[in-house]
Amino acid sequence: MRFRELRFGLGVFVLSLGVLLVRFLVPRPVGMADNGDGWRLLCDLGGRHPELSSEFYVHFSYGPGSACKSDYISSQAWLDWVASKLGKVLGSSAQLNLLVLGAITCVLVAVGIAATVLGLELSRRNRVIATVLLLLVMADSAFFGYFASVLSEGAGFVGMLLMAGGLLLMNRTGAWRYWGAALTVVGALIGINAKSQTLLLIPLFVVALALIRPLGAKGRARWLLPLGVLVIVGAGTAAVQSHGDPANAEYREANMYHVVFDSIVDGKHDTDADLAALGLPQSAKKFIGTGWWAAHPWTDADYTGFRDKISRRNVVQYYASHPTRTLQILQQGAVDTLTARPSRLGSFAESAGFPQMAKEYRVPVFSGLSALAAPLGLLVLVPFWLLIGWAGVRAFRRRAREYGVVVFFLLLFAIGQFGLSALGEGVEGVKHQLLTLFPTFLAFAFAVLSFFPRPARPEPEPEEDAEPVTEVFDAFREPEEPAVR
C-alpha cells in the first residue's frame, strides 16, 4: 500500500464529500418527500406521523409520533438509527433529522467513490475523470434526494456503490485486498438488505466473488478471503431477514392487486377479455384503477368471491398466454424507468417557498437525458443495455476482468429488477424502477472506464551484480596432491 496512493485516495474522499455536501445544502437543503411508506421506518425510531402531508414537501425533522409497529425490513433503518443518535449528540431534539442523515450518507458515498477510484488501475488523470463520472451518477437529481428521506432507496444506492468499490479493491494485491473485503461486507449488508427487491443481488454477488481474482493468486490465497466475505454476508443477511417480514410477504397480495387492476386490466385495452383470461367476473370492473389501501377490497363481498384469483400463479399464467399484452406492460415499465423522477414527490421543505411537489434539478445530467428518451421505452433501454453488456464482454476479453465483473453484476441486477417491478408490482412504476435506472447508469460508468488504458506495470528493479569471480588460468593453478592410497 503506497503512501502516494493513500494520499490521493484521501484527496478524492475530501473533494467528493465537499462537492456532495455543497450539492446537498446550498443554497437550501434538498431531499425526497415521503410517498406514504416512510412510517414503516419511522416506527422503529419513535412513531408514525399521520398528520403530516406526504408527497408535497420534505419534512427534514421528525419528532415523536403515535405508537406503531412495523415488520418492514430495510438496512435504511440502520442509517436512520445512526442519524437519530448522532443528531441528539449534536443537540437536535428530533427523533430523526434528515439533515444529519443526508450528511452521513454523503460520507458513505464519498468513501465509496474514493475506494472505487483506488481500485481502478488507471493513471492519475484518468482516476480524476473516474471521480467526476461517479459523482455525476451519485449526485444525479433522480437519486440524490433519497439520501435525505424516510424511504429505503438511498440504502440500495449506497450499498451498490460500496460493493462495486469493494470488489475492485479485492482484485488488487496486498493490504488493498483486505480493505476491499471489509468494504464489500459493509456494502453487501447494506445493499442486499435495503429492500425486498435488492435480495435479487444475492446470486449475482456470489458469482462476482467467485470471479474476482488478484494477479497471481491461486489456491487458498485466492479463495479464502472471498469465502470469508460470503460467509459473513450470508450469515448477516439471514439474521436480518429472520427478524421481521422476509421479502415483504405482507405486501404480496397488495402487489398482485395492483398488477391486476392497475397494469393488466387498466381500462385502456380489452377489459372484458382480460377479465375472462384472469377468471374474474364482470363485477371486478369497479376495482380498476383503485389502490389497495384506499379501496379496502378485502372488506368487499364481491372481492372475497374471487380473491384466490389475485395471485402470482394466475398472473404468471396470464403473461405466458398473452405475449403481446406482456410486451406492452414491459414497454410501460421501460418508459417509467427512463422517466426517472416521480411526478408527485417534492424535493424541498415547505419553508423553502416553492410550490407543492417542486423538484430540484441541480445535477440532471443522466436523468435529464433519459427523460428525453423516455417515450421510446424499450427501443432505447434494450440497446443501451446491450451496449453496456458489449463493453463488459470486451473487458473480459482484454484481461480487464474486474471491470467486466462489476459491469455485469450491476447490469444483470438492473435487468432482473426491471422485470420484477414492471411485471410484479403494477403501481408507482417510476419510483420502483429507480432500482433499475441507478445500477444501469453505474454500470455504464464502469463500462466507459473499461476503455481507459492501464498504466504500464513497473518493471522489476534489476538485482545488484554480485562480485565478479576471478578467473584462474591453468598455468597458475597449484598442482593437486595425489590421493593417498
Side-chain angles (χ1 to χ4, degrees):
M1 189 178 290
R2 298 177 181 176
F3 175 75
R4 181 179 296 180
E5 279 192 298
L6 283 175
R7 187 174 60 186
F8 181 79
L10 180 61
V12 170
F13 168 76
V14 172
L15 174 65
S16 299
L17 180 59
V19 170
L20 292 169
L21 289 176
V22 170
R23 189 252 184 275
F24 174 37
L25 299 171
V26 178
R28 56 187 59 83
V30 294
M32 186 60 63
D34 179 13
N35 72 331
D37 292 339
W39 68 270
R40 300 180 298 184
L41 292 171
L42 289 171
C43 279
D44 294 334
L45 294 176
R48 187 175 184 175
H49 294 260
E51 73 280 2
L52 295 180
S53 299
S54 60
E55 297 185 337
F56 299 154
Y57 295 106
V58 181
H59 300 285
F60 283 101
S61 181
Y62 289 88
S66 56
C68 58
K69 182 181 182 300
S70 173
D71 291 328
Y72 183 66
I73 297 174
S74 174
S75 56
Q76 181 66 42
W78 310 340
L79 304 181
D80 293 349
W81 181 85
V82 174
S84 177
K85 299 302 180 184
L86 182 59
K88 292 178 180 178
V89 170
L90 297 175
S92 174
S93 60
Q95 291 294 109
L96 176 62
N97 189 313
L98 295 188
L99 296 178
V100 178
L101 175 62
I104 291 172
T105 311
C106 286
V107 171
L108 291 175
V109 172
V111 168
I113 292 175
T116 301
V117 170
L118 288 174
L120 299 171
E121 294 189 40
L122 299 173
S123 65
R124 176 164 296 193
R125 183 189 66 179
N126 288 338
R127 280 179 166 178
V128 171
I129 296 174
T131 302
V132 173
L133 191 59
L134 291 172
L135 279 171
L136 286 175
V137 175
M138 301 307 299
D140 192 281
S141 297
F143 314 125
F144 189 84
Y146 291 91
F147 297 148
S149 76
V150 290
L151 305 176
S152 50
E153 278 78 5
F157 302 155
V158 171
M160 281 185 265
L161 174 66
L162 294 177
M163 276 191 280
L167 289 170
L168 289 170
L169 282 176
M170 285 184 68
N171 191 71
R172 299 193 63 179
T173 56
W176 290 116
R177 193 177 183 219
Y178 296 96
W179 283 107
L183 188 66
T184 303
V185 168
V186 173
L189 288 174
I190 294 175
I192 290 173
N193 294 287
K195 294 175 70 71
S196 59
Q197 295 94 321
T198 52
L199 293 174
L200 184 62
L201 285 166
I202 293 175
L204 301 174
F205 180 66
V206 174
V207 175
L209 281 177
L211 292 176
I212 285 293
R213 181 178 62 190
L215 183 65
K218 297 180 180 179
R220 181 183 298 179
R222 176 187 177 184
W223 294 109
L224 193 58
L225 190 60
L227 184 60
V229 170
L230 184 60
V231 169
I232 295 173
V233 172
T237 299
V240 170
Q241 294 296 321
S242 66
H243 292 81
D245 181 15
N248 248 354
E250 177 185 358
Y251 297 95
R252 287 176 186 172
E253 184 179 357
N255 286 338
M256 290 304 101
Y257 178 91
H258 288 128
V259 167
V260 171
F261 293 113
D262 285 278
S263 185
I264 296 176
V265 188
D266 59 359
K268 301 175 183 177
H269 297 82
D270 194 340
T271 300
D272 291 338
D274 287 336
L275 288 174
L278 290 164
L280 301 178
Q282 291 295 308
S283 61
K285 287 183 178 180
K286 63 183 177 182
F287 297 107
I288 295 175
T290 62
W292 172 261
W293 307 111
H296 300 91
W298 59 90
T299 63
D300 189 285
D302 290 336
Y303 180 80
T304 304
F306 59 79
R307 191 170 188 173
D308 62 312
K309 300 295 183 181
I310 310 301
S311 66
R312 291 180 176 181
R313 179 187 296 274
N314 198 28
V315 168
V316 169
Q317 289 175 347
Y318 175 88
Y319 287 145
S321 59
H322 295 76
T324 301
R325 186 74 186 97
T326 302
L327 185 62
Q328 292 172 345
I329 294 172
L330 289 173
Q331 168 65 10
Q332 182 58 50
V335 172
D336 291 340
T337 300
L338 296 172
T339 299
R341 307 292 300 275
S343 59
R344 294 183 58 82
L345 298 184
S347 301
F348 300 98
E350 186 173 4
S351 59
F354 290 100
Q356 293 181 350
M357 298 178 287
K359 296 173 179 54
E360 59 92 1
Y361 294 92
R362 295 177 184 174
V363 187
V365 179
F366 285 103
S367 59
L369 292 173
S370 71
L372 291 175
L376 297 177
L378 291 173
L379 295 177
V380 170
L381 191 58
V382 172
F384 191 50
W385 280 339
L386 291 175
L387 180 64
I388 296 171
W390 168 77
V393 172
R394 178 185 178 276
F396 275 106
R397 289 181 175 178
R398 298 294 180 92
R399 297 183 179 180
R401 171 193 291 260
E402 67 275 21
Y403 290 96
V405 170
V406 172
V407 164
F408 278 108
F409 171 67
L410 295 167
L411 178 62
L412 293 178
F413 170 72
I415 295 173
Q417 151 63 21
F418 168 75
L420 183 67
S421 289
L423 301 177
E425 293 183 339
V427 70
E428 291 190 291
V430 176
K431 176 178 176 291
H432 290 157
Q433 291 292 4
L434 284 170
L435 284 173
T436 298
L437 192 64
F438 175 80
T440 295
F441 285 155
L442 195 57
F444 173 73
F446 286 111
V448 171
L449 294 175
S450 70
F451 285 85
F452 288 11
R454 293 188 176 192
R457 295 183 180 274
E459 296 291 337
E461 296 181 1
E463 298 182 1
E464 295 182 2
D465 295 335
E467 185 178 347
V469 179
T470 305
E471 184 177 359
V472 180
F473 295 98
D474 291 341
F476 297 98
R477 290 183 185 275
E478 296 182 0
E480 296 181 1
E481 297 182 359
V484 180
R485 296 185 179 182

